[in-house]
Amino acid sequence: MILLHRLKPAFWDLPDTAGSHSGLNLKRKWKLIVLVTAILSLSPLVIMTLVDFNLTRRTIETETNTGMLTSLNTIAAVMSASLAEKPPGTGAKTLWDTAFSHLNTGRNNDLFLMDNTGRLLTPSFYYETSGSRTILDPGLFTGSDGIVHIQASDGTPLLAGYARITGTPLMLVQLRQADWLRDLWFKPRLKLLWFLCASIGFILLSIMGMATFLVGRIHTSERQRIEALHHEEHANRLASIGRLASGVAHEINNPLDIINQKTGLIIDLLTLGKQDQPDQRLLPLAEDVLETVKRCGTITRQLLDFARHMEPSVEPVDMEEVISQVLALLETDARQRNITIQVPPVPEIPGFACDRSSLIQIFLNLAENAITAMEKNGILTIGVFNEKTGLVTITVSDTGKGISPEDLPKIFEPFYTSRTDRWGAGLGLAITYGLIREMGGDIRVKSTVGKGTSFTLTLPVKAPRPAAADGTLHLPGSEMTVPANPVDDDTWGDRYAKP
Amino acid sequence: MGPRILLVDDEQEFVQTLAERLQMRDMDSYAVFDGPTALAQVQSHPPRILIIDLKMPGMDGIQVLKQVKQTHPGIQVIILTGHGSEQDKILCMHLGAFAYFQKPVDIDQLVTAIKQGYETALSNDQKTATCDRHPRTGSRQP
């Protein structure tokens, strides 16, 4: 049962609903392939085996019968020659007793003499020699020799070969059980059957194996395609959210600063101006407003960070150094929460280049999230692997509370946060995702509730040129276009001024 | 009164309040609401410090910055914008801006930048006074 479970391909248990796998019913496909291929390949085999079986049986039958007849005829000829000297009847009996009685052996070789009235002259296995009684109907035996099917007195089907002895009214008869041939035929037939079964089994197994492989490949590629589609959709959605976010952030900044300055003026009037008796509550209130404005400012700044479309400067980066920088920033927080940070030896990554600040930001965001998820006591592991050529794999794993499967698809979206304090704007992972995509990399997450979360990043060793590959940069929320690589002030300013 | 400061922003409420706050801090500041007026003011009463927004209808802050830097390189320009990106910041600093702030701005930070700009302008004046016999218009303190 366990073996069967292990052999069962991945697509077998997929639900057959149309929506789940873009309408592919892989199980039915598999069955159809196996059925059609099995019929196509097995039917010629079975047909040929049957034909061969019949042919062989007939050949053996004919050969046996011919052999029987030949020997009967030979014996009959010998007897005829002997009897020509003596009269039949007693002569035949004497001849039989002296020469052929020992041939009359048993079930499959019952040899005896019979006269043309059907009376047996010599003893028989199947029939008793009982005086003048006609035991076998002489009408059955026509011609000089031949083979006929008869039935014994007890109903056993018999095969009777006969040959007339020339010059006498006598007939030499040999009886065999009709299924004697079947017994003779049994062994080769068994061999043939075995061979057939083994071939059918082998062919069926290979057909099933091949169908499983092919359908498995379809399943894999289909799943990859769907995953890629989802990923693309996700990226597009994030990009449009990013554009919206930056537009909103820009538009909010102006009125926000009006509030900021007006409140500042109130504070100025209260502190710098010579107010006689201001209400004691006014100043703290105004300061609260300023504090809130600052918070809004932080959010709009984070939004702009998220939607950032600037060209990162690609430079050679020492991964170990970056990690130690990040760890230095996290050390205090981790120590307070009694969290152990594990970093296995970082392998040498020749030629690794990327935007250093982005990389630090990515590490910081992921590690901070991990620490937040663990709250107290836990292990944060940052691993760097350089196993595939051209790719760097980074894992950031924690032993924290994990993310529920329902929340897992949402974590890279802006404003999704699990933090209940007011400082979690929910932009950390969205920014991280944007940065990784900009670097030409990818991020995946695995999480078990209660056990921990593991982020796996794949970054190219050589970072590609970022999105603005045509040399221009489309700034979100404004109609301005600036060249990514400035040459001199004039062209720069002009292009900036006249979009 | 301290250094003469010209503020340019199409958000009138904002710029007037900011000017008032600077005045309370003993700075001779006044506000205009668009680029051309600002340039005319620069010609007639050149300020020490120019604070401009980037996105304004008609003439935007980058154009004002460029023209002011051409005619009056001694004026220290501070950018104060709600729309800026990192790219804008690099561009403005490249064009000769003295400082770059994103709205909402903290008044103390702005005042510090103004003071620094004023000191830079003063030291530039001394250099031009010793090296150049014909100091350009607007680059000397009146």
Side-chain angles (χ1 to χ4, degrees):
Chain A
M1 216 45 217
I2 298 164
L3 186 78
L4 198 73
H5 192 74
R6 195 172 295 173
L7 277 176
K8 199 161 61 177
F11 57 83
W12 199 256
D13 286 334
L14 282 179
D16 284 351
T17 46
S20 66
H21 216 269
S22 74
L24 285 182
N25 191 338
L26 292 174
K27 196 167 155 184
R28 214 170 69 192
K29 231 170 213 146
W30 186 88
K31 281 178 181 166
L32 200 72
I33 290 175
V34 169
L35 193 74
V36 169
T37 325
I39 288 173
L40 280 181
S41 56
L42 288 183
S43 51
L45 182 77
V46 172
I47 289 169
M48 272 171 70
T49 314
L50 279 179
V51 168
D52 190 54
F53 180 86
N54 274 327
L55 211 68
T56 315
R57 197 191 62 177
R58 225 168 282 163
T59 313
I60 288 184
E61 230 173 62
T62 321
E63 265 178 19
T64 323
N65 289 354
T66 319
M68 188 160 94
L69 270 186
T70 317
S71 50
L72 277 178
N73 274 327
T74 315
I75 298 170
V78 171
M79 289 181 113
S80 144
S82 309
L83 288 175
E85 296 161 10
K86 289 177 184 160
T90 50
K93 183 91 172 85
T94 322
L95 183 73
W96 186 263
D97 286 342
T98 51
F100 300 105
S101 60
H102 67 278
L103 287 174
N104 174 13
T105 44
R107 185 178 295 275
N108 284 324
N109 194 19
D110 188 16
L111 196 66
F112 55 86
L113 279 175
M114 189 180 80
D115 67 9
N116 51 6
T117 58
R119 198 160 55 91
L120 265 61
L121 296 179
T122 58
S124 156
F125 179 84
Y126 288 101
Y127 299 97
E128 297 220 348
T129 326
S130 50
S132 60
R133 264 181 59 202
T134 304
I135 289 162
L136 279 166
D137 178 16
L140 282 170
F141 309 104
T142 51
S144 64
D145 59 359
I147 289 176
V148 288
H149 288 273
I150 56 168
Q151 271 201 343
S153 47
D154 60 350
T156 323
L158 292 173
L159 199 64
Y162 61 94
R164 286 182 197 283
I165 302 168
T166 28
T168 64
L170 298 177
M171 193 185 281
L172 187 65
V173 179
Q174 189 179 13
L175 294 180
R176 276 174 180 171
Q177 269 191 331
D179 53 6
W180 170 75
L181 247 178
R182 219 180 295 151
D183 293 344
L184 191 77
W185 178 224
F186 184 69
K187 266 193 172 170
R189 199 178 48 177
L190 208 65
K191 267 188 199 166
L192 209 67
L193 208 69
W194 265 114
F195 181 74
L196 186 71
C197 288
S199 324
I200 287 175
F202 184 71
I203 290 170
L204 274 181
L205 270 180
S206 35
I207 287 172
M208 276 155 80
M210 239 132 77
T212 308
F213 175 73
L214 284 176
V215 178
R217 286 292 285 271
I218 294 175
H219 171 62
T220 317
S221 62
E222 187 66 13
R223 206 180 50 200
Q224 280 170 350
R225 195 179 68 87
I226 288 170
E227 264 173 24
L229 270 178
H230 274 307
H231 218 89
E232 197 63 28
E233 202 180 299
H234 188 65
N236 284 340
R237 204 167 63 205
L238 281 186
S240 45
I241 291 172
R243 279 193 291 277
L244 176 72
S246 87
V248 170
H250 277 133
E251 290 310 323
I252 282 178
N253 272 346
N254 276 323
L256 202 57
D257 213 5
I258 296 176
I259 301 173
N260 186 30
Q261 297 308 337
K262 295 273 182 196
T263 318
L265 185 59
I266 293 171
I267 293 174
D268 285 354
L269 289 171
L270 290 174
T271 51
L272 303 177
K274 312 236 169 343
Q275 295 282 319
D276 284 340
Q277 285 219 318
D279 193 321
Q280 288 301 307
R281 288 175 302 173
L282 277 181
L283 193 62
L285 282 176
E287 272 162 0
D288 280 351
V289 175
L290 270 195
E291 189 61 31
T292 316
V293 167
K294 253 184 209 160
R295 252 176 74 197
C296 291
T298 312
I299 292 172
T300 54
R301 215 152 290 167
Q302 279 183 341
L303 273 175
L304 288 172
D305 267 353
F306 163 67
R308 190 175 64 129
H309 277 254
M310 60 169 288
E311 178 141 357
S313 56
V314 175
E315 56 183 330
V317 170
D318 182 358
M319 185 72 85
E320 201 162 0
E321 195 192 317
V322 166
I323 290 178
S324 65
Q325 269 183 14
V326 172
L327 292 188
L329 290 170
L330 297 169
E331 222 169 14
T332 329
D333 202 8
R335 207 184 307 129
Q336 279 171 2
R337 293 161 181 260
N338 194 22
I339 286 166
T340 319
I341 302 179
Q342 288 183 343
V343 184
V346 177
E348 185 97 353
I349 305 162
F352 180 60
C354 69
D355 181 31
R356 189 193 177 81
S357 58
S358 296
L359 191 64
I360 291 178
Q361 185 76 53
I362 290 167
F363 270 124
L364 264 182
N365 285 351
L366 291 179
E368 271 175 357
N369 276 349
I371 288 175
T372 314
M374 288 187 279
E375 285 169 10
K376 270 202 159 49
N377 303 324
I379 302 166
L380 165 66
T381 315
I382 300 178
V384 181
F385 311 95
N386 188 20
E387 281 154 1
K388 289 178 192 163
T389 43
L391 288 177
V392 184
T393 309
I394 300 163
T395 57
V396 179
S397 335
D398 63 57
T399 55
K401 58 188 173 201
I403 306 163
S404 71
E406 304 89 68
D407 287 340
L408 212 53
K410 288 186 248 163
I411 56 164
F412 292 114
E413 284 177 17
F415 298 117
Y416 170 78
T417 182
S418 63
R419 290 171 72 169
T420 41
D421 59 78
R422 58 181 199 172
W423 291 108
L427 289 171
L429 278 178
I431 293 170
T432 306
Y433 183 85
L435 289 174
I436 292 168
R437 295 298 283 188
E438 236 168 58
M439 289 162 89
D442 203 1
I443 183 165
R444 280 170 200 282
V445 60
K446 268 186 194 160
S447 187
T448 316
V449 173
K451 285 197 171 170
T453 309
S454 173
F455 287 91
T456 307
L457 282 76
T458 325
L459 294 176
V461 168
K462 270 258 174 288
R465 282 185 64 78
D470 56 356
T472 56
L473 203 67
H474 301 285
L475 296 172
S478 75
E479 298 82 43
M480 298 178 289
T481 305
V482 291
N485 293 313
V487 187
D488 60 61
D489 292 3
D490 280 328
T491 46
W492 224 20
D494 284 346
R495 280 208 219 168
Y496 194 90
K498 297 172 203 127
Chain B
M1 269 299 184
R4 192 173 149 75
I5 303 163
L6 178 61
L7 296 112
V8 195
D9 200 317
D10 58 315
E11 290 278 359
Q12 303 191 3
E13 285 290 329
F14 166 75
V15 78
Q16 277 171 343
T17 314
L18 189 58
E20 195 181 339
R21 292 189 77 188
L22 291 177
Q23 275 162 8
M24 291 181 80
R25 285 166 173 76
D26 285 338
M27 291 174 187
D28 176 18
S29 54
Y30 59 103
V32 294
F33 311 128
D34 58 64
T37 322
L39 287 178
Q41 275 287 338
V42 167
Q43 289 298 336
S44 53
H45 305 283
R48 272 291 174 189
I49 310 280
L50 181 65
I51 299 176
I52 46 176
D53 185 14
L54 278 189
K55 203 184 175 197
M56 292 183 290
M59 193 178 205
D60 72 27
I62 297 284
Q63 282 168 297
V64 177
L65 170 65
K66 266 183 68 190
Q67 292 205 15
V68 167
K69 276 291 164 185
Q70 267 173 10
T71 55
H72 299 74
I75 297 178
Q76 299 300 322
V77 181
I78 294 173
I79 308 289
L80 177 55
T81 180
H83 283 263
S85 64
E86 279 296 298
Q87 202 68 33
D88 292 335
K89 182 177 178 176
I90 297 166
L91 174 61
C92 292
M93 299 313 271
H94 199 83
L95 286 175
F98 175 74
Y100 183 99
F101 289 104
Q102 183 111 36
K103 286 179 187 175
V105 71
D106 184 38
I107 190 81
D108 297 331
Q109 281 181 359
L110 189 64
V111 168
T112 315
I114 290 171
K115 281 178 180 159
Q116 280 174 358
Y118 182 49
E119 277 163 26
T120 317
L122 281 183
S123 68
N124 282 354
D125 276 359
Q126 279 167 3
K127 275 183 209 160
T128 33
T130 48
C131 304
D132 191 354
R133 287 184 185 184
H134 308 287
R136 285 175 227 182
T137 332
S139 61
R140 286 201 317 179
Q141 196 176 4

